[in-house]
C-alpha cells in the first residue's frame, strides 16, 4: 500500500525527472536524500553538479522551483553534501 509519504516522494522524484535531462547533459544528477515530517526535502547533487560554481542557481532556479511547483506541500528544499 502506498502511503502519503510514499506519494510525496514519488511526486518529488517525478519533478526532479524534469531537471535530470539538463543535469545529465552536463555530467551531473540529483537524488532525494530525505523528506522530513515538516516537508523539507533534502537532495544531493551528484557528478559534475557537486562542485559546479552554478550549483546554487541550479538549486534555487531549477530544482527547488520544479519541486515546489509539482508538490506545493513542500516547505523548503536544501542541498546536502
Amino acid at each position: 500500500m502506498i502511503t502519503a509519504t510514499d506519494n510525496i516522494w514519488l511526486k518529488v522524484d517525478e519533478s526532479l525527472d524534469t531537471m535530470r535531462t539538463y543535469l545529465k547533459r552536463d555530467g551531473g544528477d540529483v537524488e532525494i536524500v530525505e523528506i522530513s515530517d515538516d516537508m523539507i526535502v533534502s537532495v544531493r547533487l551528484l557528478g559534475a553538479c557537486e562542485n559546479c560554481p552554478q550549483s546554487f542557481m541550479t538549486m534555487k532556479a531549477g530544482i527547488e522551483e520544479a519541486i515546489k511547483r509539482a508538490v506545493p506541500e513542500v516547505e523548503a528544499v536544501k542541498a546536502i553534501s
Side-chain angles (χ1 to χ4, degrees):
M1 180 158 95
I2 295 179
T3 66
T5 303
D6 293 335
N7 192 37
I8 295 290
W9 192 285
L10 289 172
K11 286 181 180 179
V12 169
D13 198 47
E14 288 172 0
S15 71
L16 290 176
D17 282 343
T18 66
M19 296 300 303
R20 283 190 172 109
T21 302
Y22 306 106
L23 298 174
K24 287 182 177 184
R25 187 180 308 153
D26 291 329
D29 202 353
V30 61
E31 70 178 355
I32 305 167
V33 175
E34 177 186 31
I35 301 175
S36 68
D37 291 339
D38 53 351
M39 297 305 292
I40 297 173
V41 177
S42 298
V43 298
R44 179 177 294 123
L45 295 172
L46 304 169
C49 293
E50 287 180 87
N51 300 315
C52 176
Q54 298 297 321
S55 64
F56 177 79
M57 287 304 298
T58 300
M59 271 298 299
K60 286 294 176 191
I63 293 170
E64 183 175 26
E65 286 300 315
I67 291 172
K68 286 185 167 184
R69 190 172 339 130
V71 191
E73 302 93 334
V74 168
E75 292 294 324
V77 179
K78 65 178 184 176
I80 63 170
S81 48

